[in-house]
Amino acid sequence: MSEFDAIIHRLGAAAATLDGAIDRYASGDVRFGPPAYAHVLTKVAAGVIVTGGVVAVPLVAARTGDDGRGAPSSPSAASTATVPLASAPDLVGGPTLPGDGQTFTDQQAWDAIDWLDSLAPYGPEGNRYEHLIVQDQLEKCMNERGFEYHQIPFTAPPQPRRAGYVRVPPLPTEEQVKAVGYAAFANLGGASAPPPSSDAEDVPATTDPELIEANTANDELAQSSDWSLALYGGDTKVGSCIGDAFGFIEEQVGTEAKARYSAFIGTILQLAAPLDHPEGALAAALEEWRSCMGPLGGEVQSPVRAVDLYDALLDTEPSDEEIATALADLRCRQSSGFRDAYRDAMAAGIANFRYENEGRIDDLEAATRRETEALRELAGELGLLEPDA
Amino acid sequence: MREPRSADDHRCIDADADVGAWIARFLPTLRRALVARNGLADGSDAAAEAAAWAWEHRGELAGMTNPAGYLYRVGQSSLRRRRFRDRQRSSLIPDVVARDSPPFDDALFAALKRLTEAQRVSVVMVHMYGFSYRDVADVLDVSEAAVTNHVHRGLARLRRIVPPADEGTHR
């Protein structure tokens, strides 16, 4: 079984875990603090789902004024060229290990995150070579199995390395908060903002006519289950074309960078999220913020995460309650020093990581460079690169 | 209104059909999609709100060409009220659940969190639950081509960042 097929297998095996968690949450077995809306589910289940609509539903918190059609008004996605490995910012600044209390600039914090992301195997150039090779292999494999396949052209994904990370965008002004509520926090992200979360904004590739054409053609072909099975697998004896394609790359290029990166993955996932284990100045600022917010904080355990704020952009008119809460949040973030403490904790964590793992990181970066170059050579040998590439 | 492809087709509801039964059939799909995008707590609650909305507005629902996609958006919009969320609430599977769910592939779920939302929903729905591209496209209210693209990119990224099973699974 190829590595790709193994991931497909693991995804399938994880369905029971996720369904089990959903069932437990719906049953009230899992709670993270009131109020939660799961009670609505229970009542719906009792009144509608089970009886098929015979019993009237005791609606709780139904939003009759919200038709769910809020027009996304996300800020324009900013350019996010990944920091090249060779120019990764040096936050360590010498042999002294950064400790609690060290301060960083915003730019240093963003650069630290970008550097962290740049550790992922291959990098932007390698991703392009990999895509070209995979598509070439897919077409050959599918043709050998008697199927047609249309290669999907490469398009750089939008801010792929920003997604999922906690960000500390600049704080808005009070006037901005009064005008748009929590949307002000997100709109001010500017160049350091996370990507918009609306589906419409998340499919920039649909503007590429070649991509649309290839995808549409493959969609038609995918109506045949045999075609889908050949491409994505399902029969572990025969394997999938996409699994074979990635397996081919692994054979030709190697997997050292991935193996080295895997050894860091647990740490990397935690580094950019210091709120998971707040310590020192961050813990103190967090406590100060909670105290400052008082009852307005509700069930909140920390200031709203920047990524989450994009949900606020789905609707247009903030309520008075939202504006009042957002104003309080703004003032509490300022008075508690939370934002700076968060930034410093995040940057210090990454700096420590670099300092403590310097040798291993050097090895990883060297392996990445070797494999990216090997990918480029392989793509060239297969005739997939422009003559001057 | 399009003709249903099968008894399980959730893309349209016949005006004479039992809306409650339709909601019952579609709710698990909606809940899975919203959980995949927003995490266990918020996703479950959003699905509950969407289901409640669906029942209250069942008359409107019956006339829609894509009620599944509409309810997905209702669920997403409902989260706007949930402005205050800590990290635990937004986890795809919170630690408190993971600890009690052996064997738990935490490396896989951690990697899923690193995908874009659309990639995560598409990968989870297609490859975790086995939904068709058409069904996922309806739920997300996007084209099948978009779902194909999300799945392809999502799987390629997972392949790069997911460590081998024996390195990231609680047993």
Side-chain angles (χ1 to χ4, degrees), chain A residues 3-17:
Chain A
E3 189 179 18
F4 187 90
D5 291 330
I7 289 176
I8 299 287
H9 177 76
R10 284 170 70 177
L11 282 165
T17 303

Side-chain angles (χ1 to χ4, degrees), chain B residues 16 31 33 61 69 71 80 83 96 128 132 142:
Chain B
D16 296 324
R31 191 186 297 134
L61 213 60
L71 284 187
R80 183 168 179 272
R83 294 181 296 273
V96 66
M128 193 177 281
S132 70
V142 298

Side-chain angles (χ1 to χ4, degrees), chain A residues 3-4 7-8 10-12 14-15 17-19 21-22 24-25 30 32 36-38 40-41 44 48-49 52-53 55 57 59 61-64 66-70 72 117 121-122 127 130-131 134-135 138 155 157 163-166 182 197-199 202-203 205 211 215-216 219 223 232 242 246 250 258 261-262 265 269 273 276 296 299-302 304-305 308 311-312 314-315 317-318 321-322 325, chain B residues 18 20-21 23-24 27 31-32 35 37-38 40-41 44-45 48-49 51-53 55-57 70 72-74 76-90 92-94 96-97 100-101 103-105 107-119 123-124 127-129 133 140 142-146 148-153 155-165 167 169:
Chain A
E3 189 179 18
F4 187 90
I7 289 176
I8 299 287
R10 284 170 70 177
L11 282 165
T17 303
L18 193 52
D19 272 348
I22 290 172
R24 286 184 60 189
Y25 185 78
V30 180
F32 312 115
Y37 289 103
V40 181
L41 181 67
V44 169
V48 178
I49 306 306
V55 181
V57 184
L59 288 172
R63 305 187 63 198
T64 54
D66 185 350
D67 65 1
R69 280 177 169 169
D117 281 349
Y122 298 167
N127 287 343
E130 181 192 51
H131 180 92
V134 165
Q135 291 301 316
L138 285 183
T155 52
Y165 277 138
V166 178
Y182 263 107
S197 62
S198 83
D199 290 331
D202 205 26
V203 196
L211 183 62
N215 272 325
T216 303
D219 279 355
Q223 299 300 320
Y232 289 111
I242 201 165
F246 283 115
E250 289 169 7
K258 184 179 188 308
Y261 183 73
S262 294
I265 187 67
L269 290 172
D276 280 354
L296 278 176
E299 65 181 288
V300 187
Q301 298 301 306
S302 69
V304 183
R305 294 190 304 138
D308 290 338
D311 281 338
L314 291 173
D315 287 345
E317 291 297 326
E321 175 195 7
E322 174 184 325
T325 310
Chain B
D18 185 336
I23 297 172
L27 185 58
R31 191 186 297 134
R32 286 163 166 173
V35 166
R37 173 163 178 163
N38 303 292
L40 176 62
S44 295
D45 292 350
E49 284 225 34
W53 186 96
W55 179 246
E56 189 181 40
H57 298 78
Y70 194 83
Y72 180 79
R73 296 287 293 175
V74 170
Q76 272 306 118
S77 275
S78 76
L79 290 176
R80 183 168 179 272
R81 284 194 169 181
R82 308 286 305 281
R83 294 181 296 273
F84 299 115
R85 276 172 275 169
D86 59 21
R87 192 164 182 79
Q88 179 76 337
R89 282 196 65 84
S90 63
L92 190 54
I93 289 189
V96 66
V97 177
D100 299 337
S101 306
F104 176 66
D105 196 344
L108 177 67
F109 281 101
L112 282 169
K113 285 175 64 179
R114 299 196 72 192
L115 304 185
T116 67
E117 290 165 339
Q119 287 173 356
V123 166
V124 166
H127 284 294
M128 193 177 281
Y129 290 117
Y133 285 71
L140 298 181
V142 298
S143 69
E144 283 188 59
T148 306
N149 195 27
H150 290 320
V151 169
H152 183 84
R153 289 192 192 286
L155 287 177
R157 181 151 174 76
L158 281 181
R159 178 194 157 272
R160 280 194 291 276
I161 65 176
V162 173
E167 292 180 19
T169 305

Side-chain angles (χ1 to χ4, degrees), chain A residues 16-109:
Chain A
T17 303
L18 193 52
D19 272 348
I22 290 172
D23 288 345
R24 286 184 60 189
Y25 185 78
S27 71
D29 187 33
V30 180
R31 284 289 176 269
F32 312 115
Y37 289 103
H39 57 288
V40 181
L41 181 67
T42 305
K43 292 177 180 177
V44 169
V48 178
I49 306 306
V50 176
T51 62
V54 175
V55 181
V57 184
L59 288 172
V60 178
R63 305 187 63 198
T64 54
D66 185 350
D67 65 1
R69 280 177 169 169
S73 56
S74 305
S76 59
S79 171
T80 58
T82 304
V83 178
L85 292 175
S87 62
D90 182 11
L91 285 179
V92 178
T96 304
L97 188 67
D100 191 30
Q102 180 165 351
T103 60
F104 297 84
T105 65
D106 283 3
Q107 188 57 49
Q108 282 177 315

Side-chain angles (χ1 to χ4, degrees), chain A residues 265-278:
Chain A
I265 187 67
T267 306
I268 287 174
L269 290 172
Q270 294 295 324
L271 280 174
L275 274 181
D276 280 354
H277 305 286

Side-chain angles (χ1 to χ4, degrees), chain A residues 230-254:
Chain A
L231 182 63
Y232 289 111
D235 184 340
T236 54
K237 292 180 181 176
V238 178
S240 64
C241 280
I242 201 165
D244 290 349
F246 283 115
F248 170 74
I249 289 178
E250 289 169 7
E251 285 178 12
Q252 300 294 316
V253 175

